[in-house]
Amino acid sequence: MTRPYNRKKIFMATARALTAQPAPPAAAKRRDLSGLFGYVLIAPPVAIMLLLIFYPAIEAVIETIFVSDAQTGQTTLSLQNYIAFFQDPILRANLTFTVLVTLATVFMLFVVGYPLAMYLRFSKSRLAGTVQVLTLFPLFVPGVILAFALIRFLGTHGMFDTLLGIVGISGYRTPYLQPQGIVIALVWEHIPFTVLVLTAGLRQVEDAVIESARDVGASGWQIFTRILLPLTTRSALIVFCLNVIGVFGAFTLPYLLGPAQPMMMGVSMQQAFNNYQDRIGALTQAVLTFLICAAVGVLYVRTITRPRER
Amino acid sequence: MATLELIGLTKKFAANNAAAVHDVNLNVGDGEFLCILGPSGCGKSTTLRMIGGFEEPTAGDVRIDGQSVVELPPNRRPTAMVFQKYTLWPHMRVFDNIAFGMRLHHVPKEHIDRDVKNALQMVGLSGYEQRYPSQLSGGEQQRVALARALVLQPKILLLDEPFSNLDALLRVRLREELHAIQRRIQITAIFVTHDQEEALSLADRIAVMNAGHLEQLDQPSQIYAYPKTLFVADFIGVMNIFNATRTGDSLRVGQYALKGATGVRGDSNLSIAVRPEDFTFGAPTDSHNSTEMWRGVIDQSIDLGHYRKVLVVVPGLFENETTALAHRLKVYMPKSADAKEGDSIALYPTRYLVYTDHTQPIEVRNQALRTSDETRRDDLSSVAVSSDALANSG
Ligand SMILES: Nc1ncnc2c1ncn2[C@@H]1O[C@H](COP(=O)(O)OP(=O)(O)O)[C@@H](O)[C@H]1O
Ligand SMILES: [Mg+2]
């Protein structure tokens, strides 16, 4: 029953699946195609998904819920691994921390993303083109480079600290190795996607729709809350789901920028696997992470496949 | 109810060199229905949007009941706008669409319920309160948009091609309904359209625009009978337009002579405009006034129910006879006329307008060439278009 090499491969595949960006909504769109041709088209991606995601995921689940007794060698169905996870205060803290960092990051993404998207949608100034390029810029910066750039910029005695010093502000405390550091980096990393999707959503709102609201007396804020927000819920849900999934499973940035304790799930898994050689522990964490992301994934799929009834 | 004045209204967009709207002056009376008519891109919407407050004029003033409103945002102007399409808020039911503005103004609920009901009744959509816009046809959507605009009791109703996305039959029906509603509540209305039939059938007066300029402001019948510029002559209704040259009192169109333009001065290069119904006919063999008679061959004869439209090829009439199709004379004949394709025909304009570069058009009535016996007269009367008719278009 021992196939260490194979098991490791399965774990790595699971971890990859978790940290990678989720599959695009292509599969959902292709459902429209009817007949054999449609099936032929979707066969390769489905096969790859089954092979690389569902099979390892199910195997991981099975492996974590069947516990074999060391003495008797008897295998029983048990949630013992999960109970162990939740009884461990450090792991519990890691999970809570991951949830909090994810929520904070996604919240900040909306706070930063909506104004940027509104600006790009409504500005007639020439600056808008430049802003558009700037919002896409993070797409072209690899995570590792970003992490070190942020350390140089935001670290103690970094450029930001120096600039503050010049204007006479002292007592700067760097977000490096703090939870804020992770949030800042993850927000930066996910800005392009957030702004792209929100801008696309806002562009679908016709000018006449907004101008009619102005005509009957809606203020700018009322137009935002009563017209624009309700008409962009779909985009906002897509942004929410994909960002939650992406941030929850993040590894590089939390690993390089975050505190030693608590740590995000990606880092925690890696540590369990590499440092403690606790394969089952790492697998349990991976399954938990997977389940949480899968729940959000279901919400995502329902959002994008729900017909626009309006 | 209110009056509207546009004074030197001008709009230049940064992106374009030419002004989208250039020095437009006009007055609209209380309860009047004014149509702004012109080809696409001539500045109609921009003018309307400046009245509604959606576009800031580069120069000029907009006054409602004598009060300047240019500084006010749309919601503080006593105007309400109906747009061409996508006007309803798709996430709100019909009721909420109409109630939205009143809710923003904290109107008590009983009033809202009553007013929404009345507004829907006015546009013939009682019972549609709980529908979403996507559950309405295009025509119903525009009716709701109209109800939503009227429910706030604006002084001036602004409509930007509200029916142009609907099919022809529905367009005519909604046009008639709008007209009836406007008459009943006697609201001042400004209606933008590129469809002259729509303008002619709705408007008390029509403002014809071209390339940002107001070309003519007049009653529909005046616009049709006395188009003030060559552009209006060409744009409104069907018109035959020729280049002409003047020698003394006689005009020459191609190889034909036109007598009797006594009022024409100035330029020797002129344009002549003739409506298709302003022709008289002679027998092709008639030798009478043979230099004035235009002789041609019927290229196409179309029975249009109550009259007959014939397209006539007249050699030597148009200057550049490169494309034959574009240079056929458009003529309306009585339905009874025996006009078959390939028949020879002799005809002559009994009324035409002469356009020079600088002066107002001159109307020429020419009855001497009536070959049908009893109306034969010897005078050629040349009448400058009455100054009244043209003065009120300024
Ligand atoms: N927001 C804008 N920015 C730049 N140019 C514009 C804008 N709106 C209209 N224009 C230009 O102004 C002119 C008049 O446009 P518009 O008033 O919409 O014409 P119409 O409604 O008669 O079709 C057009 O040449 C158009 O391209
Ligand atoms: Mg327009």
Side-chain angles (χ1 to χ4, degrees), chain A residues 80-276:
Chain A
Q80 188 191 310
N81 286 323
Y82 294 91
I83 292 165
F85 176 90
F86 284 105
Q87 277 175 344
D88 184 330
I90 290 179
L91 291 179
R92 243 184 9 236
N94 287 352
L95 183 62
T96 314
F97 180 69
T98 308
V99 169
L100 290 179
V101 166
T102 303
L103 291 181
T105 305
V106 172
F107 176 76
M108 286 311 294
L109 277 168
F110 277 112
V111 169
V112 179
Y114 252 114
L116 274 173
M118 297 271 281
Y119 174 77
L120 291 177
R121 161 67 178 81
F122 294 110
S123 170
K124 297 196 166 62
S125 113
R126 270 191 218 141
L127 203 62
T130 316
V131 174
Q132 172 95 63
V133 172
L134 282 179
T135 59
L136 292 182
F137 182 64
L139 274 183
F140 309 112
V141 182
V144 185
I145 310 275
L146 163 65
F148 286 109
L150 278 180
I151 293 169
R152 291 291 305 264
F153 183 69
L154 291 175
T156 315
H157 307 306
M159 181 143 61
F160 191 64
D161 196 1
T162 313
L163 285 176
L164 285 181
I166 288 170
V167 296
I169 298 172
S170 58
Y172 170 73
R173 288 184 51 213
T174 175
Y176 175 46
L177 301 181
Q178 302 291 319
Q180 301 92 294
I182 312 182
V183 173
I184 290 171
L186 287 173
V187 165
W188 157 282
E189 192 180 38
H190 289 84
I191 277 281
F193 169 75
T194 305
V195 174
L196 273 181
V197 174
L198 290 181
T199 310
L202 286 168
R203 282 197 206 287
Q204 283 183 356
V205 182
E206 297 289 332
D207 282 345
V209 162
I210 295 157
E211 287 177 342
S212 328
R214 274 176 73 196
D215 204 24
V216 300
S219 65
W221 179 247
Q222 284 166 331
I223 288 174
F224 179 67
T225 55
R226 312 279 292 269
I227 308 286
L228 292 177
L229 269 187
L231 288 179
T232 51
T233 42
R234 197 187 175 95
S235 307
L237 265 175
I238 290 174
V239 162
F240 174 83
C241 294
L242 296 191
N243 278 338
V244 164
I245 294 168
V247 170
F248 204 94
F251 173 74
T252 311
L253 292 172
Y255 181 72
L256 291 173
L257 295 171
Q261 200 49 246
M263 50 193 137
M264 285 186 72
M265 290 306 283
V267 185
S268 171
M269 262 180 260
Q270 195 266 354
Q271 200 187 40
F273 190 77
N274 274 358
N275 300 6
Y276 305 144

Side-chain angles (χ1 to χ4, degrees), chain B residues 51-357:
Chain B
I51 300 170
F54 298 106
E55 217 73 75
E56 204 180 318
T58 313
D61 201 3
V62 177
R63 291 189 192 156
I64 295 173
D65 281 339
Q67 299 280 311
S68 173
V69 296
V70 271
E71 300 295 326
L72 302 179
N75 55 314
R76 307 235 346 255
R77 298 188 186 198
T79 56
M81 181 98 137
V82 177
F83 295 85
Q84 181 176 347
K85 49 184 175 175
Y86 307 118
T87 43
L88 299 181
W89 300 303
H91 58 300
M92 294 186 200
R93 293 172 194 273
V94 166
F95 184 95
D96 301 310
N97 259 280
I98 300 174
F100 185 64
M102 288 187 284
R103 286 184 181 144
L104 293 178
H105 292 103
H106 304 293
V107 175
K109 192 180 173 314
E110 315 84 76
H111 289 214
I112 294 181
D113 290 349
R114 186 198 59 206
D115 288 356
V116 171
K117 196 162 178 268
N118 291 343
L120 278 175
Q121 196 170 7
M122 181 162 60
V123 298
L125 287 181
S126 297
Y128 279 60
E129 284 86 346
Q130 296 310 313
R131 300 237 195 147
Y132 278 105
S134 61
Q135 298 168 315
L136 303 176
S137 70
E140 288 165 347
Q141 290 184 20
Q142 290 307 74
R143 282 180 224 222
V144 174
L146 182 62
R148 188 180 66 184
L150 290 174
V151 82
L152 293 175
Q153 301 185 335
K155 288 181 170 177
I156 299 181
L157 180 63
L158 307 174
L159 306 107
D160 191 354
E161 312 211 20
F163 307 142
S164 61
N165 274 27
L166 310 176
D167 65 62
L169 270 173
L170 196 58
R171 200 154 60 215
V172 171
R173 218 175 104 195
L174 280 182
R175 178 201 292 172
E176 283 161 4
E177 287 181 18
L178 171 68
H179 199 244
I181 290 171
Q182 188 267 339
R183 282 288 180 268
R184 192 160 76 242
I185 63 177
Q186 305 202 325
I187 190 172
T188 308
I190 319 287
F191 187 105
V192 160
T193 179
H194 64 266
D195 177 350
Q196 50 168 305
E197 193 196 323
E198 199 163 60
L200 290 166
S201 59
L202 273 173
D204 294 319
R205 284 188 304 156
I206 296 176
V208 183
M209 285 188 72
N210 177 34
H213 293 258
L214 178 61
E215 295 263 331
Q216 185 168 5
L217 174 64
D218 255 321
Q219 288 161 5
S221 57
Q222 283 288 317
I223 297 234
Y224 186 82
Y226 303 107
K228 199 176 143 191
T229 65
L230 208 52
F231 170 80
V232 179
D234 197 20
F235 187 69
I236 304 285
V238 178
M239 190 69 101
N240 297 289
I241 295 178
F242 320 97
N243 291 326
T245 49
R246 183 179 69 91
T247 342
D249 266 0
S250 74
L251 301 179
R252 178 156 281 280
V253 178
Q255 61 184 23
Y256 295 96
L258 272 175
K259 265 195 204 158
T262 48
V264 183
R265 277 176 296 278
D267 282 9
S268 58
N269 284 309
L270 315 153
S271 296
I272 306 280
V274 190
R275 291 276 181 216
E277 62 270 29
D278 289 336
F279 285 98
T280 186
F281 307 94
T285 50
D286 198 341
S287 62
H288 184 83
N289 284 314
S290 58
T291 54
E292 279 89 16
M293 250 327 160
W294 299 358
R295 286 163 203 287
V297 176
I298 295 177
D299 189 43
Q300 210 175 332
S301 176
I302 306 155
D303 189 348
L304 288 173
H306 51 297
Y307 63 95
R308 180 176 292 280
K309 177 182 179 183
V310 294
L311 300 175
V312 184
V313 174
V314 181
L317 188 61
F318 293 97
E319 255 179 10
N320 308 311
E321 288 180 337
T322 44
T323 53
L325 277 185
H327 289 103
R328 293 182 299 182
L329 203 58
K330 289 156 275 189
V331 181
Y332 295 160
M333 300 180 81
K335 197 171 148 53
S336 56
D338 178 28
K340 292 190 299 295
E341 285 163 18
D343 284 359
S344 293
I345 188 170
L347 71 178
Y348 189 79
T350 52
R351 175 186 182 271
Y352 56 89
L353 294 157
V354 183
Y355 292 84
T356 67
D357 279 355

Side-chain angles (χ1 to χ4, degrees), chain A residues 124, chain B residues 13 15-16 20 39-46:
Chain A
K124 297 196 166 62
Chain B
F13 288 106
N16 311 11
S40 171
C42 71
K44 307 179 296 289
S45 295
T46 306

